[in-house]
Amino acid sequence: MSLAVYDTMAREKRVFEPADPKRVTMYVCGPTVYNYTHIGNARSAIVFDLLFRVLRHEYGAAHVVYSRNFTDIDDKIITASKETGAPIDEITKKFAQVYTDELDALNALAPTGTPRATEHIPDMIALIERLIEAGAAYAAEGHVLFSIEAFADYGRLSGVDGDEMIAGARVEVAPYKKNPADFVLWKPAADDEPGWESPWGRGRPGWHLECSVMIEKGLGETIDIHCGGQDLRFPHHENEIAQSACAHDGAPLARYWMHNGFLRMGTDKMSKSLGNVVLTHELLKDWPGEVIRWALLSAHYRQPLEWTEDLLRQSKRQLDRFYRLLEDVADSKDEPAPPESIVLALKDDLNTPEAYAGLHELRDIAAQMEGEARRNAALRLRAAGRLMGFFQADPAAWFKGDSGDGPTAEEIDALLAKRAEARKAKDFATSDKIRDDLAAQGIVIEDGPDGATWRRA
Ligand code: AMP
Ligand code: ZN
């Protein structure tokens, strides 16, 4: 069966056929780096990391080019710099690194390219000049605006039109705009703000333009798959499409469009403006990255995902069951092909609920087996996990990991040392109490010839 993906533009699931199977291209709109990101932002990155993995599986790792940008010039960054007194450069470097480290902890593969907007300013100016020449953009009062009337298909991706367009764009109805829905390609910079010289004066690029330029430079005029959160369909992706098509003689920006659904708190979208956010870096203090990843992929990517503490607890318990089986093959480096059932589920528009069901079924079957058959089944499960970004930790280390509740590994080690001392002093009341207290918290102590070891039950 071929890979099929739901294409937002076509509004249906389509068989995926890359323009060139030797160079499959995908792009994900990345974060604006001025602050810590929340777990809703991470959902987008993790869903499309899974897509990247499935494409690599299909076409070979060397044949997939994946670019995810950093927006490192923006009003929000300038405000953060004014508020904290830290230079812009310092802020954006710090938070780009934080984001990279977080996704690494969530077992995301590094994209092949992570371009930054400020590295591409001359290319942005060149693209604007092309748009002006093509009659799709105009300069006015230090700004350059894209004229949406120049692009007949404007609104086709999102289905947004007319008044909705104007309201949705939350545009200031500025006097220099010919149409209130025209959007900014270049805007003037105040003296105390960062800016670059341009034919229209000192200024900085608009956000939408950045992606069009980084795609053109890093991947080409038309890419295979463009991805992002569903809130980006309008205006961001609509604007990317219009700019790129008008700069490239009508060539489409992307052949397929994929959008992930929202992560929610109760019935609300998790978002900074609502203040209902859980920051990824905070969450990683309490939970292994793999547990968070499991929770993020537990719903189908186009469905909403309700974020709860209970979801994390369940995810941990489910992973524990897999790792219990994987203890048997901890010493084996064998790497069989992942089971066909799992691959097929993923190739069906990244159907992770079906893939999870397949993993559970395989685990249940394997757990009934013994000896060689059990080992082989466990290895195949680990191979499925490798494809999806799971099961690669050392099982012994996994069961020593902090679960979020209960004592930390250091605390347990300290208690075990105290218990050893008590036993040496023949103070069995104390040593038994330590063992019982730990048992009550789900920590099992195993005494062996080299002293005691422990694991989480
Ligand atoms: P923002 O910081 O709002 O520009 O978002 C960065 C990325 O995260 C975009 O791709 C958004 O679509 C995505 N995103 C933001 N909030 C959520 C959410 N609650 N659930 C899923 N994706 C989100
Ligand atoms: Zn973008």
Side-chain angles (χ1 to χ4, degrees):
M1 198 192 82
S2 355
L3 170 63
V5 299
Y6 183 89
D7 176 14
T8 313
M9 184 71 89
R11 291 165 175 69
E12 64 180 13
K13 220 181 328 187
R14 291 173 58 208
V15 170
F16 176 68
E17 283 164 359
D20 174 6
K22 293 279 179 227
R23 190 172 182 274
V24 182
T25 49
M26 65 177 274
Y27 182 87
V28 175
C29 298
T32 303
V33 277
Y34 68 102
N35 208 335
Y36 291 102
T37 57
H38 60 74
I39 195 68
N41 305 133
R43 185 181 191 198
S44 179
I46 294 304
V47 159
F48 298 118
D49 171 66
L50 182 64
L51 174 69
F52 181 41
R53 288 165 174 272
V54 173
L55 291 172
R56 285 160 58 102
H57 180 77
E58 280 298 288
Y59 298 96
H63 301 303
V64 186
V65 193
Y66 164 26
S67 178
R68 188 188 63 224
N69 73 297
F70 286 113
T71 293
D72 63 351
I73 178 70
D74 179 271
D75 291 350
K76 286 183 226 140
I77 303 176
I78 296 170
T79 306
S81 171
K82 282 181 182 158
E83 278 171 11
T84 62
I88 288 192
D89 205 41
E90 198 178 297
I91 295 174
T92 58
K93 282 215 171 81
K94 174 184 168 183
F95 287 107
Q97 191 58 50
V98 166
Y99 187 73
T100 304
D101 292 345
E102 286 170 0
L103 289 184
D104 190 46
L106 299 182
N107 291 353
L109 301 175
T112 22
T114 50
R116 288 164 198 237
T118 55
E119 293 166 351
H120 291 278
I121 303 291
D123 298 322
M124 294 181 196
I125 293 173
L127 195 120
I128 296 174
E129 284 178 322
R130 257 184 286 159
L131 289 173
I132 294 177
E133 266 166 48
Y138 56 94
E141 298 180 28
H143 294 73
V144 183
L145 292 131
F146 185 91
S147 172
I148 62 158
E149 271 144 40
F151 186 59
D153 269 350
Y154 193 78
R156 190 173 141 213
L157 177 77
S158 58
V160 174
D161 59 9
D163 294 345
E164 231 181 325
M165 214 176 256
I166 296 166
R170 273 167 285 147
V171 285
E172 349 141 40
V173 182
Y176 49 80
K177 286 188 180 179
K178 290 186 189 160
N179 179 324
D182 288 351
F183 59 89
V184 165
L185 299 171
W186 188 266
K187 60 178 145 189
D191 288 342
D192 62 339
E193 289 174 357
W196 290 263
E197 289 308 326
S198 82
W200 317 285
R202 191 171 163 281
R204 61 177 184 275
W207 170 43
H208 315 300
L209 182 72
E210 300 174 4
C211 287
S212 281
V213 169
M214 287 185 267
I215 291 170
E216 178 195 72
K217 289 295 144 194
L219 301 174
E221 291 190 358
T222 299
I223 62 172
D224 287 312
I225 314 181
H226 193 312
C227 315
Q230 67 178 32
D231 52 339
L232 297 187
R233 283 174 306 179
F234 179 80
H236 184 56
H237 289 164
E238 215 64 86
N239 294 357
E240 281 187 35
I241 290 169
Q243 294 160 167
S244 293
C246 290
H248 300 141
D249 290 329
L253 174 57
R255 303 173 60 249
Y256 299 80
W257 284 86
M258 291 175 73
H259 291 97
N260 66 275
F262 290 138
L263 184 142
R264 291 182 183 165
M265 293 292 258
T267 52
D268 296 325
K269 173 193 174 191
M270 182 181 285
S271 78
K272 265 180 214 146
S273 53
L274 289 176
N276 59 354
V277 296
V278 178
L279 300 180
T280 308
H281 85 113
E282 295 286 349
L283 210 50
L284 278 166
K285 290 180 192 159
D286 293 335
W287 296 93
E290 191 171 342
V291 169
I292 301 171
R293 182 182 179 92
W294 186 272
L296 285 173
L297 292 175
S298 61
H300 188 265
Y301 78 93
R302 284 190 282 119
Q303 297 299 319
L305 170 66
E306 195 180 331
W307 195 254
T308 61
E309 188 78 14
D310 197 46
L311 173 66
L312 286 161
R313 263 186 239 112
Q314 280 176 31
S315 298
K316 172 72 168 64
R317 269 199 297 275
Q318 292 181 20
L319 284 169
D320 282 348
R321 299 184 73 211
F322 288 106
Y323 272 108
R324 191 65 72 210
L325 187 78
L326 295 172
E327 281 180 318
D328 288 7
V329 290
D331 56 348
S332 168
K333 299 254 181 295
D334 287 0
E335 195 58 73
E340 195 59 17
S341 60
I342 308 296
V343 177
L344 284 177
L346 296 175
K347 281 169 72 174
D348 180 16
D349 194 31
L350 306 180
N351 191 340
T352 50
E354 197 178 309
Y356 278 23
L359 291 173
H360 286 303
E361 197 182 313
L362 287 171
R363 196 215 69 92
D364 291 345
I365 295 170
Q368 308 291 317
M369 296 173 168
E370 285 182 26
E372 199 58 21
R374 182 183 168 105
R375 283 176 61 82
N376 285 336
L379 286 172
R380 275 158 44 81
L381 258 182
R382 196 170 68 188
R386 187 181 176 78
L387 172 60
M388 299 182 71
F390 299 122
F391 307 162
Q392 303 306 302
D394 168 29
W398 174 264
F399 286 110
K400 283 199 161 72
D402 300 334
S403 63
D405 25 54
T408 64
E410 288 92 75
E411 286 163 354
I412 301 169
D413 285 341
L415 284 168
L416 281 201
K418 231 165 123 184
R419 176 171 169 268
E421 259 170 50
R423 280 165 61 123
K424 220 161 127 197
K426 305 220 179 312
D427 175 3
F428 296 112
T430 302
S431 72
D432 286 353
K433 180 166 186 327
I434 292 174
R435 188 198 56 214
D436 294 346
D437 286 352
L438 283 172
Q441 299 179 80
I443 310 297
V444 183
I445 299 178
E446 280 153 357
D447 288 305
D450 303 324
T453 57
W454 61 271
R455 61 183 176 83
R456 295 185 199 266

